[in-house]
């Protein structure tokens, strides 16, 4: 038997996907101590209740929403949250008018409902998703609420209020069922454009009876019963208006059953591409041709269907580097009996279905995944995977007794090189308590250096899962501010080097399912005591390089300038922090 040095052995394991080249990993407890996710929604004063307008008629829109998101609407460094709601239908009249809700972060662990003052209730819209982006580069994030039949764009006035500019801006998306959206700059002109994943051509008049006959057996219809709808691409004209370029760009060339969307640069050419998860049909991957057009290349790239050639119920999506290769991989969630799929980016040859290689596989077999995100929940330097689950059929147990409507969530820890371990049962009861979950938005709402999770639940209250203990390891968070590039820095590629720990990420557009994450990039650093190098490649082509950065801090980096002063206050009277994590 050949003998190898420790370094050679580690490198060979890394080539097999088991470890990364920079070393062995001790067990979870030795790495980070105990981490738990605690649902603090009620204690935080969040009184929201999602109403899905459910009736015996089984309207398809009842089961597909809704999303949630983070938005620092008043730019005080504390992230506020937004929750999307349903509306009255032809068969459902609620006791009082339904509205979506904006909650202001009070900075002490509580939130205040400011929907009425802000003017963002989206009354009358059967809401699905939310997307956040500063489309006019004025320094204040704007709010897009997606829904059945139309969308609402709220312009942030910068004084705590918003104005509905949907019609003026030209982004109403009329007559379509919008599910998820992404703000991104596809032509690198410094202005955020908008891509919308549209679902199926359903109407109350075409609401067929589906399922078996008999008491309690009627079910929500399969999407194949209806025609799909093509995605919409709006180009930002730079004057507060948008032009629908769906057909001219190639993005709207053919219909899909779009549910989740994420924009990222999968081939590292400096231009953002578009991935859309389609429900029960091949996914779309639109490669950016750099001339205002896209080529749909999902089959060629290996992400249209599963590794064994099957179309699946694509719902939630996200992208990150799971192996330390510098390339962005993809996750797509599906219904039970299908498996969530992890597509590993292999460079010029495209993606491979790494669902089994990553050991993700059967952890998701009996679960229906919707919102999903990559995050380093324990700050050990590897991106973990979170999936929020909940079936689409409220009577699924009548058809499959081993499957439930409400389902537990999943946290899969990256043990190194993209190999995932199901640690859900170790992270507290609130994580595994069954819910009918849909949207997920990751974000550090208390600015303490570990990533928390906002989860929207269909027909129920949301969960705010606070991460307790994830900041035992060191970390850094980065808010990007573009100048030549779009102000949000969407499309920027970031490299962080801390000793022999090297990490890559991108400022993506969209992601998850119908939800908007915290825009700051978060990097776990294990026990590293400084960041040796931070390199940012902006969409404009500008490169920012910073050196010798202290850890355990949130910084704002402006294109062409470097670190600029911005407040990111820690909570007053919130959860206690280890001494070494006090704000620098």
């Amino acid at each position: 038997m050949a003998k190898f040095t420790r370094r050679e052995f580690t490198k060979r394991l890394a080539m097999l996907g088991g470890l990364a080249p920079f070393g062995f990993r001790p067990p979870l407890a030795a790495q980070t101590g105990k981490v738990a996710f605690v649902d603090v929604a009620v204690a935080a004063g969040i009184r929201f209740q999602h109403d899905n307008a459910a009736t015996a008629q089984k309207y398809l829109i009842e089961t597909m929403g809704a999303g949630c998101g983070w938005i620092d609407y008043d730019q005080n460094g504390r992230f506020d949250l937004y929750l999307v709601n349903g509306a009255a239908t032809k068969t459902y009249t609620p006791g009082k008018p339904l509205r979506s809700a904006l909650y202001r972060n009070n900075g002490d662990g509580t939130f205040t409902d400011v929907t009425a003052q802000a003017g963002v209730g989206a009354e009358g819209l059967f809401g699905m998703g939310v997307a956040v982006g500063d489309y006019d580069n004025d320094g204040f994030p704007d709010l897009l609420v997606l829904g059945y039949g139309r969308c609402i764009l709220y312009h942030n006035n910068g004084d705590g209020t918003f104005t509905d500019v949907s019609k003026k801006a030209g982004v109403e998306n009329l007559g379509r069922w919008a599910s998820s959206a992404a703000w991104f700059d596809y032509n690198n002109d410094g202005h955020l454009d908008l891509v919308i994943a549209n679902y199926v051509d359903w109407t109350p008049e075409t609401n067929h009876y589906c399922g078996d006959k008999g008491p309690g057996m009627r079910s929500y219809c399969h999407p194949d019963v209806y025609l799909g709808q093509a995605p919409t691409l709006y180009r930002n004209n730079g004057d507060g208006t948008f032009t629908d370029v769906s057909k001219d760009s190639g993005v709207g060339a053919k219909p899909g059953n779009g549910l989740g969307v994420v924009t990222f640069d999968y081939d590292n050419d400096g231009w953002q591409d578009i991935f859309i998860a389609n429900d029960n049909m091949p996914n779309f991957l639109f490669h950016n041709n750099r001339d205002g057009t896209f080529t749909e290349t999902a089959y060629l790239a290996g992400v249209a269907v599963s590794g064994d050639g099957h179309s699946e119920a694509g719902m939630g999506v996200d992208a990150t580097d799971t192996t330390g290769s510098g390339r962005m991989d993809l996750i797509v969630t599906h219904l039970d009996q299908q498996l969530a799929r992890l597509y590993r980016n292999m460079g010029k040859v495209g993606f491979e279905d790494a669902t089994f290689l990553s050991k993700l596989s059967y952890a998701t077999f009996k679960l229906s995944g919707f919102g999903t995100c990559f995050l380093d929940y324990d700050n050990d330097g590897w991106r973990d995977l979170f999936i929020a689950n909940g079936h689409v059929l409220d009577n699924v147990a009548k058809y499959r007794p081993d499957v439930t409507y409400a389902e537990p969530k999943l946290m899969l820890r990256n043990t190194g090189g993209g190999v995932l371990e199901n640690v859900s049962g170790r992270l507290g009861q609130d994580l595994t308590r069954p819910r009918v979950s849909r949207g997920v938005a990751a974000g550090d709402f208390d600015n303490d250096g570990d990533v928390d999770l906002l989860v929207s639940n269909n027909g129920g209250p949301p969960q705010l899962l606070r991460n307790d203990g994830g900041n035992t390891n060191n970390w850094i968070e980065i808010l990007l501010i573009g100048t030549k590039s779009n102000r949000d820095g969407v499309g920027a590629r970031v490299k962080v080097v801390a000793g022999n720990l090297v990490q890559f990420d991108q400022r993506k557009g969209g992601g998850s399912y119908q939800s908007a994450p915290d825009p700051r990039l978060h990097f776990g650093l294990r026990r590293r005591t400084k960041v040796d190098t931070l390199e940012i490649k902006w969409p404009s082509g500008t490169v920012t390089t910073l050196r010798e950065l202290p850890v355990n801090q949130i910084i704002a980096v402006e294109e062409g300038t470097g670190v600029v002063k911005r407040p990111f206050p820690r909570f007053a009277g919130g959860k206690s922090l280890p001494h070494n994590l006090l704000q620098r």
Side-chain angles (χ1 to χ4, degrees):
M1 179 181 292
K3 294 183 178 180
F4 304 111
T5 66
R6 179 186 176 98
R7 180 182 295 273
E8 289 171 336
F9 182 63
T10 302
K11 189 173 182 180
R12 286 172 179 262
L13 282 178
M15 293 173 66
L16 295 173
L19 290 168
F22 44 76
F24 289 96
R25 310 269 319 278
L28 175 62
Q31 281 273 347
T32 63
K34 188 175 181 180
V35 179
F37 284 88
V38 180
D39 184 2
V40 297
V42 173
I46 300 170
R47 302 287 183 254
F48 182 84
Q49 175 81 17
H50 179 256
D51 192 330
N52 63 345
T55 72
Q57 295 303 307
K58 301 286 185 181
Y59 280 5
L60 189 56
I61 53 175
E62 298 169 8
T63 193
M64 300 307 297
C68 55
W70 295 106
I71 176 172
D72 183 7
Y73 80 98
D74 51 5
Q75 289 295 281
N76 65 358
R78 302 185 182 105
F79 276 81
D80 316 293
L81 63 88
Y82 191 82
L83 298 160
V84 180
N85 211 347
T89 68
K90 288 187 175 182
T91 59
Y92 178 80
T93 303
K96 59 180 181 179
L98 302 179
R99 68 178 189 182
S100 298
L102 175 66
Y103 281 85
R104 186 188 65 228
N105 188 332
N106 298 323
D108 59 0
T110 67
F111 290 78
T112 298
D113 187 337
V114 294
T115 311
Q117 301 95 299
V120 290
E123 293 88 349
L125 175 69
F126 202 107
M128 290 288 151
V130 58
V132 175
D134 184 2
Y135 75 86
D136 57 354
N137 291 332
D138 67 352
F140 288 90
D142 308 298
L143 187 68
L144 177 74
V145 186
L146 303 105
Y148 172 73
R150 64 188 176 99
C151 296
I152 299 174
L153 177 59
Y154 289 111
H155 176 259
N156 191 332
N157 299 321
D159 60 1
T161 69
F162 292 75
T163 299
D164 181 348
V165 297
S166 315
K167 187 173 183 178
K168 177 184 176 182
V171 294
E172 289 180 290
N173 203 44
L174 290 174
R176 302 181 182 98
W177 178 347
S179 177
S180 301
W183 292 102
F184 76 126
D185 184 2
Y186 78 87
N187 52 8
N188 284 351
D189 67 350
H191 300 284
L192 287 179
D193 311 298
L194 177 66
V195 61
I196 298 176
N198 297 308
Y199 195 41
V200 298
D201 189 16
W202 172 92
T203 68
E205 291 73 28
T206 59
N207 188 59
H208 305 293
Y209 186 103
C210 296
D212 296 339
K213 301 293 182 179
M217 298 302 290
R218 184 171 185 175
S219 298
Y220 295 105
C221 289
H222 193 278
D224 283 357
V225 172
Y226 304 97
L227 297 174
Q229 295 183 323
T232 310
L233 179 63
Y234 291 106
R235 185 188 67 224
N236 191 330
N237 300 323
D239 59 0
T241 68
F242 293 76
T243 299
D244 187 339
V245 295
S246 307
K247 291 184 178 179
D248 291 343
S249 67
V251 170
K254 60 182 179 180
N257 297 340
L259 286 178
V261 58
V262 63
T263 66
F264 68 111
D265 181 5
Y266 78 87
D267 54 357
N268 285 331
D269 67 352
W271 297 74
Q272 282 223 313
D273 311 296
I274 306 168
F275 179 83
I276 295 178
N278 283 318
D279 189 358
N280 208 57
M281 65 173 290
N283 303 314
F284 293 151
L285 178 62
F286 295 102
H287 178 260
N288 193 328
N289 298 327
R290 314 184 207 178
D291 60 1
T293 69
F294 292 79
T295 300
E296 205 288 290
T297 184
Y299 268 113
L300 190 63
V303 295
V305 294
S306 65
D308 53 1
H310 294 288
S311 297
E312 296 173 309
M315 295 182 288
V317 298
D318 200 10
T320 200
D321 177 9
T322 65
T323 64
S325 68
R327 299 183 295 267
M328 301 288 277
D329 309 311
L330 272 168
I331 183 68
V332 186
T333 61
H334 301 112
L335 284 177
D336 64 297
Q337 301 186 16
Q338 291 183 345
L339 310 180
R341 295 284 167 184
L342 179 66
Y343 296 100
R344 185 167 292 167
N345 191 332
M346 305 302 291
K348 292 183 179 180
V349 298
F351 294 77
E352 68 170 359
D353 185 343
T355 304
F356 288 94
L357 183 62
S358 67
K359 299 186 179 181
L360 171 61
S361 60
Y362 288 106
T364 63
F365 182 69
K366 289 188 177 182
L367 300 172
S368 295
F370 277 85
T372 186
C373 59
F374 288 109
L375 72 160
D376 186 357
Y377 79 88
D378 53 1
N379 285 343
D380 68 352
W382 291 99
R383 298 284 157 72
D384 312 301
L385 175 63
F386 177 77
I387 303 176
N389 304 294
H391 210 276
V392 294
L393 302 181
D394 55 358
N395 58 355
V396 66
K398 290 181 178 291
Y399 291 90
R400 293 199 293 278
D402 59 338
V403 177
T404 60
Y405 183 43
E407 298 176 336
K409 298 166 183 62
L410 283 176
M411 182 70 79
L412 297 129
R413 179 176 178 260
N414 190 337
T415 63
V419 176
L420 302 172
E421 175 192 11
N422 185 358
V423 296
S424 312
R426 307 181 199 172
L427 301 177
Q429 294 181 350
D430 290 342
L431 194 72
T432 55
R433 188 169 285 116
R435 292 288 186 271
V436 185
S437 297
R438 295 294 183 257
V440 170
D444 184 7
F445 81 91
D446 47 7
N447 289 341
D448 71 344
D450 49 28
V451 181
D452 313 295
L453 295 162
L454 177 64
V455 181
S456 61
N457 296 311
N458 185 271
Q463 293 167 280
L464 179 55
L465 298 171
R466 189 185 65 197
N467 184 334
D468 287 352
N471 56 13
T472 302
N473 277 329
N474 294 332
W475 52 275
I476 192 167
E477 290 179 21
I478 305 158
L479 177 72
L480 300 176
I481 304 173
T483 51
K484 293 182 180 179
S485 305
N486 65 86
R487 187 174 178 86
D488 288 356
V490 177
R493 292 172 290 160
V494 179
K495 178 181 179 181
V496 169
V497 179
N500 61 352
L501 178 62
V502 182
Q503 298 181 71
F504 303 87
D505 202 4
Q506 294 181 16
R507 177 68 167 88
K508 301 165 293 189
S512 189
Y513 175 80
Q514 300 181 347
S515 298
D518 184 334
R520 298 171 295 186
L521 299 180
H522 173 269
F523 295 87
L525 300 173
R526 303 186 198 170
R527 298 299 183 184
R528 305 301 189 274
T529 56
K530 66 177 181 178
V531 172
D532 298 301
T533 306
L534 168 63
E535 181 184 84
I536 304 167
K537 295 181 179 178
W538 301 86
S540 66
T542 301
V543 177
T544 299
T545 303
L546 304 172
R547 304 185 190 279
E548 305 295 319
L549 296 173
V551 299
N552 302 329
Q553 63 169 334
I554 306 172
I555 61 172
V557 181
E558 186 174 87
E559 181 181 13
T561 301
V563 177
V564 295
K565 189 173 182 179
R566 288 287 295 270
F568 299 106
R570 296 295 176 87
F571 274 20
K575 57 179 178 173
S576 60
L577 300 174
H579 178 72
N580 68 314
L581 296 179
L582 296 177
Q583 180 72 39
R584 291 175 178 271

